[in-house]
Amino acid sequence: MLAKTEKPRVIHPWPVRLTHWLNAVAIIMMIGSGWQIYDASPLFGFTFPGLITIGGWLGGAIAWHLAFMWLLVINGLLYFGYSGISGHFAKFFPLSPASVWADLRAAFRMDLKHETGVYNAVQKLLYLGVMFAGVVIVISGLGIWKPVQLWFFTDLCGGYFIARYVHFFAMAAIAIFVAIHLALVLLVPKVLPPMITGGRISS
Amino acid sequence: MTPTNRRNLMFRAMALGAVTTLPACKMTEADNSSLTDQFKHAMLAWDDKVQEALFDPHTLAPTFRPDQITNPPRFNAFYDISQAPVVDPATYTLALGGQIQNKTPWSVSALNALPQHSQITRLICVEGWRVIGQWSGVRLSDFLRHVGADLTCKYVSFKCADGYYSSIDMPSALHPQTILALNFLNAPLTPPFGAPVRLRIPVKLGFKNPKSLVHLAVTNVYPGGYWEDQGYDWYSGS
């Protein structure tokens, strides 16, 4: 049943879909090469196995990292620009701790209704959280890349030494998000096609 | 060091370098010699342009307190510390080449006679770790002006006693914190850490700080570098 005479609305407008998939490529390349870079001087007592890293060696990984950072940043700016102008950002609000708690409990009871085209409170929190991690990872990354010329980014992260940890934990946050995101797509596979075709809100 | 000794050492260093970097070379040549390699090279060239544009000759690298100095310093090279070249400071000379008017070689005492500058700065390795040290020596800008170098040239290149080589852009070479370092913690440099003369350039990553310099040239012909030729970003500015 369409509301009045309105045309069916797309679930995901094309700028969201385009930036989503470009971002997926950027994240895979940045995390894969980033793990290889991490392995050259590990912050913790482990390294990432060569099978899941990108670049083959430190020099190759840095080349990939410095290439795809442009895709990550420009694509991210396009997404934020589009979302701000189009009102897409409004979909992430309102958001309250109570609504997150309620939806989280409902989700674990397998009782959370999937409303097409509407984000539940947990989704809103996750998406806003990963956007924040994205901003943090770019700022800390710039601070690590150019601690002299872009010293304000380095200082913002508490100095070069701490910036590496900030960069790592932002990566970890994004990796955890990707894991949850993919797990939810597996649980509710019908959400995948609209992210490719756009889909239509028909009910 | 006799010429034969030096040649032996250089061959040993080059052989070591070849062995340690062979897997990487093989991988880049066999697997991605085509499009992906070209893509990475093009992107690194673009990154270098961006870094050149970001470089502000008046922005100084941060300096640190004496109690923050990493002591003992951390050794790093493409070979083990036991293989580090030992150069006799008494017979040492720094040879000059390229677009320089006065190419008379320089001894350690002659370099010591030029105005000295001290700095406590941070050396960041391309691998991610960092150390803080106190280096002192001759400002490269003072030195280049003193020998009549053509400062409009694009590159300053360096060759080392161990076969290592590297090069930097002229604006970074003229940065006030870029020095030909002679001392660490007010004592002459020791062999594993670049004796008798090394480049100390805090606006670049560690591998752009070549040690045990034997040759310095000013040129417009891209000189490359030991790691740069294998795929590290040439500009590698901090």
Side-chain angles (χ1 to χ4, degrees):
Chain A
M1 273 189 297
L2 288 177
K4 292 165 193 166
T5 55
E6 272 176 49
K7 283 203 303 186
R9 224 158 30 85
V10 291
I11 300 170
H12 303 298
W14 70 265
V16 171
R17 279 178 280 146
L18 180 71
T19 51
H20 170 268
W21 290 111
L22 287 175
N23 195 43
V25 174
I27 284 181
I28 289 167
M29 294 305 293
M30 291 304 276
I31 290 185
S33 58
W35 286 350
Q36 178 82 59
I37 295 169
Y38 166 97
D39 284 357
S41 180
L43 295 172
F44 305 99
F46 68 90
T47 56
F48 295 97
L51 260 179
I52 55 166
T53 63
I54 292 170
W57 69 298
L58 178 59
I62 291 172
W64 284 122
H65 214 68
L66 295 185
F68 277 85
M69 67 178 184
W70 297 101
L71 179 64
L72 182 80
V73 170
I74 293 170
N75 186 58
L77 289 174
L78 285 177
Y79 173 79
F80 283 126
Y82 166 81
S83 299
I85 293 165
S86 70
H88 175 68
F89 257 136
K91 287 181 77 176
F92 301 106
F93 299 97
L95 180 61
S96 66
S99 62
V100 172
W101 181 239
D103 282 359
L104 200 60
R105 285 176 45 140
F108 281 112
R109 286 195 312 265
M110 293 308 231
D111 193 23
L112 185 61
K113 207 176 146 250
H114 177 77
E115 284 180 78
T116 303
V118 178
Y119 294 140
N120 64 56
V122 178
Q123 278 179 304
K124 289 176 184 173
L125 181 70
L126 283 174
Y127 289 140
L128 288 173
V130 79
M131 284 180 225
F132 177 70
V135 171
V136 170
I137 210 158
V138 168
I139 287 173
S140 58
L142 289 171
I144 293 166
W145 184 42
K146 308 249 75 179
V148 176
Q149 301 303 334
L150 303 181
W151 55 270
F152 33 89
F153 289 131
T154 321
D155 281 10
L156 203 60
C157 297
Y160 175 82
F161 185 76
I162 298 170
R164 286 189 70 206
Y165 287 88
V166 172
H167 201 59
F168 180 90
F169 285 116
M171 176 280 296
I174 292 170
I176 290 169
F177 168 86
V178 170
I180 296 172
H181 188 66
L182 293 179
L184 290 177
V185 172
L186 283 175
L187 273 175
V188 193
K190 69 166 182 179
V191 299
L192 180 59
M195 193 34 100
I196 300 165
T197 63
R200 293 289 180 276
I201 299 173
S202 52
S203 57
Chain B
M1 190 184 290
T2 65
T4 355
N5 262 347
R6 174 169 295 166
R7 216 172 56 185
N8 271 342
L9 186 72
M10 279 180 62
F11 276 127
R12 210 170 59 191
M14 284 189 282
L16 254 167
V19 167
T20 50
T21 57
L22 201 58
C25 289
K26 261 176 122 172
M27 178 159 289
T28 41
E29 275 160 28
D31 295 349
N32 345 291
S33 67
S34 54
L35 268 176
T36 51
D37 244 14
Q38 286 171 26
F39 171 72
K40 280 191 284 183
H41 278 130
M43 288 307 291
L44 282 182
W46 159 249
D47 287 322
D48 282 3
K49 281 207 169 68
V50 172
Q51 293 187 81
E52 259 172 63
L54 281 175
F55 179 80
D56 176 357
H58 305 295
T59 300
L60 295 181
T63 53
F64 298 84
R65 301 185 310 270
D67 62 280
Q68 292 175 295
I69 292 170
T70 314
N71 204 7
R74 178 169 174 171
F75 174 80
N76 193 51
F78 59 90
Y79 45 77
D80 185 76
I81 190 165
S82 63
Q83 257 114 14
V86 179
V87 182
D88 181 3
T91 58
Y92 167 86
T93 55
L94 174 64
L96 303 183
Q99 307 299 309
I100 289 176
Q101 278 168 14
N102 185 351
K103 289 183 187 152
T104 313
W106 283 70
S107 66
V108 174
S109 53
L111 285 168
N112 267 310
L114 290 176
Q116 303 289 302
H117 294 271
S118 183
Q119 58 174 263
I120 302 178
T121 49
R122 179 180 56 198
L123 184 146
I124 295 175
C125 180
V126 65
E127 293 173 349
W129 51 268
R130 58 93 176 92
V131 290
I132 292 165
Q134 181 182 10
W135 290 272
S136 55
V138 182
R139 269 191 185 142
L140 185 56
S141 58
D142 289 350
F143 181 79
L144 290 175
R145 286 190 179 98
H146 193 87
V147 297
D150 181 355
L151 302 183
T152 64
C153 281
K154 283 187 194 159
Y155 310 106
V156 181
S157 74
F158 303 91
K159 288 179 189 159
C160 309
D162 56 7
Y164 190 81
Y165 59 106
S166 190
S167 56
I168 57 173
D169 57 290
M170 185 60 81
S172 297
L174 299 178
H175 188 273
Q177 286 171 311
T178 303
I179 63 172
L180 293 172
L182 299 155
N183 300 299
F184 186 82
L185 287 173
N186 301 315
L189 291 174
T190 52
F193 300 104
V197 182
R198 76 172 301 178
L199 182 69
R200 177 62 195 123
I201 176 164
V203 294
K204 297 274 187 202
L205 289 179
F207 77 94
K208 308 286 289 185
N209 290 244
K211 301 184 277 191
S212 304
L213 303 176
V214 294
H215 189 267
L216 180 158
V218 171
T219 177
N220 276 316
V221 181
Y222 174 70
Y226 177 87
W227 287 115
E228 295 87 330
D229 293 350
Q230 296 173 51
Y232 275 177
D233 173 35
W234 175 75
Y235 193 93
S236 285
S238 279

